[in-house]
Structure formats: structure tokens, C-alpha cells
Amino acid sequence: MNIHPVFVHFPIAFLTIYAIAELFRFKKLKELSWFFPAKFVLLLVGTIGAFFALGTGEFGEAEFSSARAIIHVHEDAATVATTIFCILLASYLIAGIDSKWGTRIATAPYGKVWSAVSGIFRTVFSAPVVVALALAGLVAITVTGALGGAIVYGPDADPVVSFVYSLFF
């Protein structure tokens, strides 16, 4: 039984909404007290869901054995998307920890290590990098979804699927 479709749609929705929220960085939105936590929750739930989606992908592989080449590219695109969103999630987590306990951690015995790690992720957490990663993640999700559509419905399922399919095959 292929349970993969049950697990893929929620991460797609959560991570797409998160990426759109990062791409449209309106000042009024950024000033809202709930905006940062909402983006964090979307990113956290979406990334956790992406791991479930990756893990259940193997269940459908036998059902679509004739599309092995597409499946492997689909799997690679899903891994890229998940990795991008993991980097963003790590940045959010470290930024949150740093803002809450950063000064306390910096004075601890391992403070220099924390300072180095938080410095690296502060760079990643800068607006241009976050926007670029969110856009790259959105592209990776689109490629993954289009190739998933090509596996299930064929390469001519719709114009987006046809376009993405033609990029790879």
C-alpha cells in the first residue's frame, strides 16, 4: 500500500506558505508580533513533515517501477528541498536561542563554540540569504511536485509538469 501521498501534501502546503511569507517581506507584516512565530511554526511542521514524506517515498516506488529514472530525480529534488528547509530551520532555532540565552551561553565554557556557530547562522539568517534559500526551496518543492505528478499522471499532466519534465528528460 502506497502511503506516500498521505504524507506529501501537508509539508508542501506548509513550506510553500512559509517560503511565500519569506519572499514577501512587507514592513507591516514583519512588525506584527505573531509573524515570526507563525513562520517558525510553518517551517518546523513543514520540515518535520518533509522527513515523513521522504521516508514514505519508498512505499510507492514498487508501484511505479516503470518510472525509475523519474523517481530518482524526484527523490533527489525532495532531498534538496528538505535540506534547504533544514538549514532555514536551524537558522531560526539558533537565532531564537541566541536572542533568548545568547549572552548566558557566551559566558559558559563552550561559549566560543556557540559564538562561532551562532555567527555562521546569523549570516545565513540575514535577509538576502533567507530570501534566496526560501526561493530555492520553493523551486525545489515545485520540481519535486511536478515530477511526482509526472510519475503518477504522466509527463503531460499539465503545463508545469510538462515543462519540468522536459528540463530533466
Side-chain angles (χ1 to χ4, degrees), residues 14 27-29 63 66-67 80 92 116 119 148 160:
F14 278 77
K27 186 177 180 184
K28 292 276 187 197
L29 276 176
E63 186 178 334
S66 63
V80 167
Y92 266 74
V160 174

Side-chain angles (χ1 to χ4, degrees), residues 73-113:
V73 177
H74 170 72
E75 184 178 12
D76 291 344
T79 301
V80 167
T82 303
T83 302
I84 290 168
F85 288 112
C86 280
I87 292 167
L88 286 163
L89 180 60
S91 297
Y92 266 74
L93 289 171
I94 289 174
I97 291 168
D98 202 38
S99 70
K100 186 124 177 133
W101 300 293
T103 53
R104 192 178 296 165
I105 295 171
T107 60
Y110 46 82
K112 290 184 185 214
V113 173

Side-chain angles (χ1 to χ4, degrees), residues 33-56:
S33 62
W34 55 265
F35 191 60
F36 183 86
K39 289 191 303 181
F40 173 74
V41 169
L42 288 167
L43 182 59
L44 177 66
V45 173
T47 303
I48 291 169
F51 279 104
F52 281 102
L54 280 173
T56 61

Side-chain angles (χ1 to χ4, degrees), residues 108-150:
Y110 46 82
K112 290 184 185 214
V113 173
W114 175 257
S115 294
V117 169
S118 68
I120 291 167
F121 279 94
R122 258 194 310 270
T123 302
V124 171
F125 205 66
S126 67
V129 177
V130 168
V131 169
L133 285 172
L135 181 60
L138 192 57
V139 168
I141 287 174
T142 303
V143 168
T144 303
L147 292 175

